[in-house]
Amino acid sequence: MRIDVVTLFPEFVQQAAQVGVVGRAQSRGLLSVVTWNPRDFASDRHKTVDDRPFGGGPGMVMLVEPLRSTIRAARDAEGSAPVIYLSPQGERLTQRKVESLSKLPRFVLLCGRYEGVDERLIEECVDEELSIGDYVLSGGELAASVVIDAVGRLQDGALGDADSAKQDSFAEGLLDCPHYARPLREGDREVPEVLLSGNHALIRRWRLKQALGRTWLRRPDLLARMDLDKAARKLLEEFRQEYLADPD
Ligand code: 9D3
């Protein structure tokens, strides 16, 4: 997959995409992140990309003309591609959306800075808007990096065996169970005994039960939208009983 990013801070986006699983996906040729700087497409000698808003008020607005030239260059570099504007006004990014983006051969991400981009550019060039959540960032670059990370790790062959095994696990849509490694004892905290039992069926059940229980405690909204099978409902009921007897 190829992701083109229109940004005033190309180094920022490139750096983020060179780390870890996503960096490896790039070096394995599974993912290519290409950046385009509107500054390079500004037509005046000052390389102007923004101006003060009509109607007054604080901040600056990104200009139509340099952005349109940049988006055209990026979008048409290799066939065509949908253009996604990262913006607080966008539809909220979810794992479902990440999965659907991960199946595209390519798309273009547009990052805003300042107060945002001229509305007419959005009307003309943008296919959809995406937000990564209800908090205020200073620009779209971090959001673009989030999209690239989440989509990049889903490319076939990007994850190691350990990670992909986790993916097809029983616990999809739930929070993760707790994890432990050496030492066996940390002060007065010990590793749960079941994990030392060598009984893999029992360990699997315990992990699922913890995942269900933690989701119930911390993200009941996630649990409400799932339909649990009989075994899972029983495990969650066990967790609830134990929790109500001894909440910690
Ligand atoms: C304080 C400025 N705000 C006035 C109401 C508007 C505003 C303009 C530009 C708020 C944030 C931004 C920059 N944010 C993004 O470009 C952005 C973003 C975000 O802030 N939160 C969540 N997702 C995203 S995606 C792009």
Side-chain angles (χ1 to χ4, degrees), residues 86-88 112 114-116 130-140 143:
L86 283 320
S87 115
Y114 321 115
E115 283 310 294
L130 277 182
S131 160
I132 62 164
D134 295 337
Y135 37 79
V136 180
L137 302 174
S138 51

Side-chain angles (χ1 to χ4, degrees), residues 204-218:
R204 205 178 147 80
R205 273 172 41 86
W206 180 85
R207 286 181 168 154
L208 178 53
K209 180 168 156 183
Q210 297 303 312
L212 287 160
R214 278 158 47 126
T215 310
W216 172 63
L217 287 171
R218 302 183 193 188

